């Protein structure tokens, strides 16, 4: 049996792992690379296998860096099953067509403004995304199911976002665990991840592998920043992944408003994807920690702007307000238009609530860059730029280590899904503190599993 690390090796994005066993071939996750020109070129690299030869694809969760290239796989001939949890299948039903739409809209905008360059065409069409959705076969958490004659699989809850799972594969005599993205035990809306349940080989994520989340309550920081901005009559712009942080923010804002700790400002959820994902929470009560009242309050807190013309009208609401819009790292989507409008005004606040991959606009703004280009226009940042760390959907070093201690050491632990320093730092930490065998495979590397 061998495994090829096609992505999420010295990057956080582009999760794709090819597992080969005899004549069988499986792909675990099929994500997009995100952030900067290097990621864009990775997305256009030829695949090291013919998609038609895969037996099955398994997906740990709906985020685009784990699922966003599925339509590309289908466009290149894949017709087999895509196994994932029911909530992830529904989220992909929202995210994949929108990913196609977003790419096409963005490309159209660039073309109209004479900014398009060859090689930046959309990676796939909305039809490819729709055809992909027909291949989904959802499987509930905890229940083992056959994938092929010699492989069975099981999903266990990983926290992180709705439907997110760790994946355990039994391949012949070997058990392999893919941690997937692991959430925090103290997430405001998600249940804690189920600890590592043991395997011969483990692939563990390391997004925050060398960092600790601050002990401060993120809700308090959020309330303070909203109040400060409201007192200035400003607008809070929050780039957020459509799934996960957008809902955590709505929940915290709904709670704070109900308790009178922040004024009853208009909150615009300016992302059709985020709107649909928010409604999904009420349909999967077992997949998160909100009760039905909290779920309803979360859904009712925002004005939903689905249409582009409604999005363009948001600025006509004078006075203090909050805008939550995708994409989470400001690499595309409607948030770019809001940043272009609101960053030059010192009354406003840009609030960063999630991980920002290097070279993304979000990372540049977070680092304090004053002069940026947005949608082909020079923008000088005068707005306050603030970060709330504790709202991350990823476990920190202590939380990741606690997750590992759920079972005996595997024969080998592959540390993945982290920038170079976080990944190697976390591998060192595991080796030193737990005495586990670790490795940090390179992108494109194939390793034989004995
Ligand atoms: Zn994720």
């Amino acid at each position: 049996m061998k495994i090829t690390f096609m992505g999420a090796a010295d990057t956080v994005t582009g999760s794709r792992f090819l597992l080969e066993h005899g004549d069988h071939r499986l792909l675990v996750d099929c994500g997009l690379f995100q952030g900067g020109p290097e990621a864009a070129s990775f997305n256009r690299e030829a695949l090291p296998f013919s998609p038609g030869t895969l037996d099955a694809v398994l997906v740990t969760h709906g985020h685009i860096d784990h699922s966003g290239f599925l339509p590309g796989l289908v466009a290149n001939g894949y017709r087999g099953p895509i196994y994932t949890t029911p909530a992830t299948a529904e989220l992909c039903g929202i995210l994949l067509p929108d990913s196609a739409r977003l790419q096409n809209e963005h490309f159209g905008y660039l073309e109209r403004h004479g900014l398009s360059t060859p090689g930046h065409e959309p990676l796939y069409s909305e039809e490819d995304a729709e055809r992909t959705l027909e291949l989904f076969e959802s499987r509930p958490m905890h229940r083992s199911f056959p994938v092929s004659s010699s492989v069975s699989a099981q999903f266990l809850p990983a926290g992180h976002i709705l439907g997110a799972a760790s994946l355990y594969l039994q391949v012949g005599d070997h058990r392999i665990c893919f941690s997937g993205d692991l959430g925090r035990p103290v997430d405001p809306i998600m249940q804690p991840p189920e600890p590592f349940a043991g395997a011969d080989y483990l692939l563990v994520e390391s997004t925050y592998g060398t960092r600790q989340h601050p002990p401060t309550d993120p809700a308090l920081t959020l309330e303070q920043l909203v109040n400060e901005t409201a007192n200035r009559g400003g607008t809070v712009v929050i780039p957020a992944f459509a799934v996960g942080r957008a809902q955590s923010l709505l929940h915290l804002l709904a709670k704070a408003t109900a308790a009178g700790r922040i004024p009853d400002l208009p909150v615009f959820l300016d992302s059709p994807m985020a709107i649909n994902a928010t409604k999904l929470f009420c349909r999967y009560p077992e997949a998160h920690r909100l009760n039905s009242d909290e779920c309803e309050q979360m859904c009712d807190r925002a004005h939903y702007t689905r249409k582009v013309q409604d999005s363009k009208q948001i600025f006509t609401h004078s006075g203090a307000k909050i805008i939550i819009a995708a994409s989470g790292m400001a690499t595309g989507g409607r948030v770019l238009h809001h940043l272009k409008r609101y960053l030059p005004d010192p009354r406003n606040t840009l609030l960063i609530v999630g991980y920002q991959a290097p070279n993304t606009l979000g990372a540049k703004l977070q680092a304090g860059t004053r002069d940026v280009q947005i949608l082909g226009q020079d923008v000088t940042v005068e707005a306050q730029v603030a970060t709330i760390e504790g709202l991350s959907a990823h476990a920190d070093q202590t939380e990741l280590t606690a997750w590992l201690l759920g079972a005996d050491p595997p024969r080998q632990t592959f540390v993945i899904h982290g920038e170079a320093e976080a990944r190697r730092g976390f591998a060192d930490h595991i080796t030193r503190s737990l005495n586990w065998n670790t490795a940090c495979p390179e992108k494109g590397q194939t390793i034989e599993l004995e």
Side-chain angles (χ1 to χ4, degrees):
M1 178 171 58
K2 56 186 181 176
I3 184 165
T4 303
F5 297 81
M6 294 168 56
D10 284 350
T11 57
V12 159
T13 63
S15 276
R16 301 174 192 179
F17 308 98
L18 177 68
L19 201 65
E20 295 171 277
H21 176 243
D23 294 338
H24 296 289
R25 281 178 156 182
L26 303 174
L27 190 67
V28 175
D29 283 346
C30 187
L32 279 184
F33 292 91
Q34 293 171 306
E38 193 183 40
S41 74
F42 285 163
N43 283 328
R44 288 168 202 283
E45 275 178 1
L47 295 168
F49 58 88
S50 164
T53 64
L54 289 173
D55 296 296
V57 180
L58 298 110
V59 177
T60 59
H61 68 286
H63 274 154
I64 285 298
D65 61 317
H66 292 254
S67 70
F69 197 66
L70 287 166
L73 206 64
V74 171
N76 283 290
Y78 181 66
R79 297 290 178 269
I82 300 170
Y83 296 109
T84 192
T85 64
T88 298
E90 288 224 42
L91 281 175
C92 286
I94 297 166
L95 292 168
L96 296 181
D98 270 292
S99 169
R101 227 177 344 256
L102 210 66
Q103 290 179 42
N104 282 279
E105 273 177 20
H106 188 62
F107 185 69
Y109 178 91
L110 294 177
E111 275 209 310
R112 279 196 305 281
H113 293 78
L115 300 166
S116 64
T117 46
H120 287 78
E121 296 80 13
L123 293 164
Y124 45 80
S125 66
E126 283 184 55
E127 281 146 37
D128 294 325
E130 293 299 339
R131 278 194 294 156
T132 303
L133 300 180
E134 290 167 15
L135 302 177
F136 272 90
E137 295 193 22
S138 43
R139 295 289 182 268
M141 294 279 191
H142 296 112
R143 203 174 303 161
S144 176
F145 59 93
V147 174
S148 70
S149 54
S150 58
V151 180
S152 63
Q154 184 187 28
F155 292 115
L156 295 185
H160 188 56
I161 63 163
L162 200 71
S166 300
L167 169 66
Y168 292 79
L169 290 178
Q170 187 71 40
V171 185
D173 296 337
H174 295 308
R175 189 167 149 92
I176 306 174
C177 170
F178 298 79
S179 74
D181 287 8
L182 294 168
R184 303 195 62 196
V186 293
D187 191 280
I189 54 175
M190 294 306 302
Q191 306 278 12
E194 278 194 22
F196 176 47
D200 300 300
Y201 299 97
L202 167 65
L203 283 77
V204 65
E205 72 121 323
S206 60
T207 315
Y208 283 81
T210 50
R211 285 188 278 170
Q212 306 290 353
H213 294 311
T216 44
D217 182 353
L220 294 179
T221 321
L222 176 68
E223 290 164 17
Q224 189 190 335
L225 286 162
V226 167
N227 283 322
E228 282 171 13
T229 313
N231 289 339
R232 299 194 293 260
T235 296
V236 183
V237 179
I238 313 178
F241 272 131
V243 185
R245 295 318 82 189
Q247 289 76 34
S248 296
L249 285 163
L250 282 184
H251 171 61
L252 294 177
L253 290 169
K255 258 188 11 182
T257 311
R261 294 194 299 272
I262 60 169
D264 193 3
L265 306 177
V267 177
F268 295 93
L269 186 58
D270 188 24
S271 156
M273 286 191 284
I275 295 167
N276 293 337
T278 305
K279 303 210 158 153
L280 215 54
F281 270 71
C282 300
R283 302 235 322 271
Y284 286 92
E286 74 291 348
H288 55 78
R289 52 165 110 216
L290 303 183
N291 63 35
S292 57
D293 285 349
E294 288 172 322
C295 226
E296 214 167 284
Q297 279 166 8
M298 174 180 81
C299 289
D300 289 347
R301 184 61 186 89
H303 297 277
Y304 295 140
T305 47
R306 279 184 192 276
K307 297 189 186 131
V308 174
Q309 54 265 45
D310 294 337
S311 171
K312 286 181 176 165
Q313 290 302 310
I314 291 176
F315 82 94
T316 62
H317 290 255
S318 54
K321 58 188 170 295
I322 300 168
I323 303 171
I324 303 170
S327 75
M329 301 185 203
T331 50
R334 292 181 182 176
V335 77
L336 293 182
H337 297 274
H338 298 301
L339 292 174
K340 197 169 89 173
R341 178 178 297 277
Y342 292 104
L343 283 177
D345 186 335
R347 291 176 304 168
N348 302 330
T349 300
L350 163 64
L351 183 52
I352 308 253
V353 294
Y355 178 79
Q356 305 295 309
N359 301 318
T360 56
L361 177 61
K364 286 180 195 157
L365 292 168
Q366 189 178 30
T369 308
R370 287 290 304 277
D371 296 303
V372 289
Q373 272 238 330
I374 301 176
L375 297 169
Q377 192 176 306
D378 291 326
V379 173
T380 301
V381 181
E382 298 289 349
Q384 180 185 359
V385 178
T387 298
I388 300 182
E389 285 283 356
L391 267 183
S392 165
H394 288 273
D396 67 13
Q397 187 187 65
T398 303
E399 293 161 351
L400 285 170
T401 310
W403 182 85
L404 291 171
L405 288 172
D408 290 338
R411 286 163 67 176
Q412 183 70 282
T413 298
F414 300 107
V415 181
I416 52 150
H417 200 287
E419 302 302 337
E421 200 189 311
R423 189 160 85 111
R424 282 156 221 282
F426 187 53
D428 286 348
H429 170 77
I430 300 174
T431 308
R432 263 186 291 108
S433 63
L434 306 181
N435 204 21
W436 287 19
N437 292 325
T438 59
C440 295
E442 302 293 323
K443 177 176 174 294
Q445 190 175 345
T446 300
I447 293 179
E448 198 78 42
L449 305 178
E450 299 299 330

